[in-house]
């Protein structure tokens, strides 16, 4: 192996004759004088930082977790198990929501990330539901705070606008406008939790769906996604704002584009430095029963194409059609593939069971597959 040439930091001058000598030499090669080797300067490592107040608040270990996952003992106020001494995970590392028996989701830290920067916010009443998933951009400061603030703001705006919806015939127009307003509210919420001194402003993606009877109204900004998976035609409803999607639009195969080194570089996001916060919107009418899936890239990384994700949904729903149980199985599967990112999966049956329907069945579809798709 070649040895790099010595630099000025590696040499010194002999105090007796003034000739250059190695900083670690015991004797001067020119005059033979005894030298006192100098100790190399050692820089102290920077003290570990705990992030801003928002990060400390969201990631604090003294959380709602009260039972030790290792031994079943009680977690004390200091965040450690009274029995085995293990530190409790943050409640934000893994949580679920189930506002109705046909709507639910799971948000998980994954395997390789040190904290969960995803967030979700769900709501349901009657035959209506709101599903929101936001993915904090890992390279930004306080991305976990950003995603949480954004998800809650979007849900709240959409719930309010649903309450004001009087004419179902105008739902597409009114909800498209509501999504734009929700994104603006989310952007303001993200900025509100961003330190004014931050040189890398907090940012996040958004994906949202409103289930209104047999209709799925959806919006996205960034690369979190909305799918509708049914027996006849599983479909990806949203369109990523990413470098991969830019290459797909030019004709590149999806699998090839999503394998590019910069595939996950997003071109739109929420945050103080965002230049375009208007989401794409659309509406899809279910011709047969299926599942609405709103997820972060921690899931679809391993099953991007609708047919691939449908196969994983089939496996996840083989034992139970409970949305939280199905979502948990999908999260477990993604973690088994490597869990390279945070994973969030929000699900809703569509049409909603509460909706009077003339469709053949409102039972959630679980396709039969001969072979499970392997990814990762």
């Amino acid at each position: 192996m070649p040895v790099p040439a010595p630099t000025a930091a590696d040499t010194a001058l002999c105090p007796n004759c003034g000739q250059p000598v190695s900083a670690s030499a015991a004797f001067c090669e020119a005059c033979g004088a005894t030298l006192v080797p100098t100790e190399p300067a050692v820089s102290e490592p920077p003290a570990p930082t705990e992030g801003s107040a928002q990060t400390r608040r969201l990631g604090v270990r003294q959380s709602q977790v009260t039972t030790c996952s290792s031994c079943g003992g009680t977690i004390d106020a200091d965040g450690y198990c009274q029995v085995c001494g293990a530190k409790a995970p943050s409640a934000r590392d893994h949580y679920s929501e189930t506002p109705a028996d046909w709507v639910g989701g799971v948000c998980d830290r994954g395997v390789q990330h040190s904290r969960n920067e995803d967030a979700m916010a769900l709501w349901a009443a009657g035959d209506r539901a709101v599903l929101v998933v936001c993915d904090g951009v890992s390279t930004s400061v306080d991305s976990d705070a950003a995603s949480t603030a954004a998800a809650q703001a979007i849900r709240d705006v959409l719930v309010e606008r649903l309450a004001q919806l009087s004419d179902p015939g105008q739902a597409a127009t009114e909800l498209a406008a509501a999504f734009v307003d929700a994104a603006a509210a989310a952007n303001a919420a993200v900025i509100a939790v961003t330190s004014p001194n931050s040189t890398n402003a907090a940012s996040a993606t958004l994906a949202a769906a409103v289930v209104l009877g047999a209709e799925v109204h959806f919006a996205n900004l960034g690369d979190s996604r909305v799918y509708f998976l049914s027996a006849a035609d599983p479909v990806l409803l949203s369109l990523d704002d990413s470098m991969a999607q830019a290459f797909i639009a030019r004709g590149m195969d999806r699998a090839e584009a999503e394998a590019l080194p910069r595939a996950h570089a997003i071109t739109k996001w929420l945050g103080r430095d965002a230049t375009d916060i208007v989401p794409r919107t659309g509406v899809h009418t279910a011709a047969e029963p299926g599942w609405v899936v709103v997820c972060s890239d921690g899931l679809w990384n391993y099953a991007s194409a609708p047919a691939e994700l449908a196969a994983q949904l089939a496996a996840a729903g083989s034992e139970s059609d409970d949305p939280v149980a199905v979502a948990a199985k999908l999260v477990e599967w993604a973690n088994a593939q490597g869990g390279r990112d945070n994973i969030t999966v929000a699900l809703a049956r569509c049409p909603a069971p509460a909706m009077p329907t003339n469709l053949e069945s409102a039972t959630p579809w679980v396709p039969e597959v001969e072979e499970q798709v392997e990814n990762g």
Side-chain angles (χ1 to χ4, degrees):
M1 177 183 293
V3 178
T7 65
D10 299 320
T11 61
L13 298 179
C14 173
N16 184 52
C17 68
Q19 293 298 310
V21 295
S22 171
S24 59
F27 299 93
C28 175
E29 294 183 358
C31 69
T34 301
L35 303 173
V36 179
T38 58
E39 293 293 330
V42 178
S43 60
E44 291 295 328
T49 59
E50 297 180 351
S52 72
Q54 289 87 359
T55 292
R56 292 195 297 274
R57 174 174 58 81
L58 290 167
V60 67
R61 295 289 173 170
Q62 294 174 253
S63 64
Q64 298 103 328
V65 177
T66 58
T67 302
C68 177
S69 58
S70 299
C71 73
T74 301
I75 301 300
D76 206 348
D78 63 359
Y80 290 85
C81 176
Q82 294 177 339
V83 178
C84 70
K87 179 179 284 189
S90 167
R92 202 183 183 291
D93 283 353
H94 180 96
Y95 66 94
S96 62
E97 293 185 17
T98 176
D101 60 5
W102 56 282
V103 180
V106 174
C107 185
D108 186 81
R109 179 173 60 88
V111 175
Q112 299 189 26
H113 278 216
S114 61
R115 64 178 181 175
N116 188 5
E117 296 166 329
D118 279 5
M120 70 176 176
L122 310 180
W123 172 90
D127 66 343
R128 301 179 175 190
V130 173
L131 296 83
V132 182
V133 169
C134 293
D135 183 350
V137 178
S138 297
T139 55
S140 68
V141 176
D142 287 334
S143 55
D144 53 345
S147 62
T148 300
Q152 294 173 353
I154 294 166
R155 177 200 58 201
D156 293 348
V157 169
L158 294 177
V159 170
E160 180 182 1
R161 298 293 277 274
L162 273 173
Q164 298 170 359
L165 184 62
S166 58
D167 182 2
Q170 297 297 315
T173 300
E174 293 188 21
L175 288 177
F179 282 126
V180 174
D181 293 344
N187 196 62
V190 171
I191 293 173
V193 300
T194 302
S195 169
N197 299 322
S198 174
T199 58
N200 192 358
S203 53
T205 69
L206 81 85
V210 172
V211 179
L212 187 60
E215 294 180 347
V216 183
H217 301 260
F218 59 90
N220 81 291
L221 191 146
D223 63 353
S224 295
R225 292 182 175 179
V226 182
Y227 292 82
F228 180 73
L229 303 180
S230 69
D233 187 22
V235 61
L236 171 59
L237 300 177
S238 56
L239 189 67
D240 294 347
D241 297 301
S242 69
M243 293 300 295
Q245 183 58 46
F247 282 105
I248 293 170
R250 296 177 185 176
M252 183 178 288
D253 176 74
R254 175 173 293 278
E256 181 182 358
E258 291 177 354
L260 293 172
R262 295 279 293 167
H264 283 275
I266 57 176
T267 55
K268 293 175 70 173
W269 58 88
L270 297 169
R272 189 179 65 198
D273 58 355
T275 58
D276 182 359
I277 60 169
V278 178
R280 289 187 178 90
T281 65
V283 60
H284 176 84
T285 301
E288 63 177 350
W291 286 99
V292 177
V293 181
V294 184
C295 64
S296 64
D297 58 348
L299 176 66
W300 69 253
N301 273 337
Y302 303 109
S304 175
E308 293 178 327
L309 191 56
Q312 299 308 328
L313 179 62
S318 61
E319 298 179 1
S320 172
D321 63 5
D322 174 70
V324 172
V326 176
K329 285 290 186 181
L330 288 170
V331 167
E332 181 182 344
W333 173 79
N335 276 326
Q337 309 311 302
R340 295 193 304 269
D341 204 346
N342 308 142
I343 307 156
T344 305
V345 184
L347 302 173
R349 302 176 197 170
C350 183
M355 175 195 175
T357 177
N358 57 5
L359 299 183
E360 183 177 334
S361 171
T363 302
W365 165 73
V366 178
E368 295 182 1
V369 292
E370 296 180 359
E371 182 178 355
Q372 182 172 330
V373 175
E374 295 290 342
N375 285 281

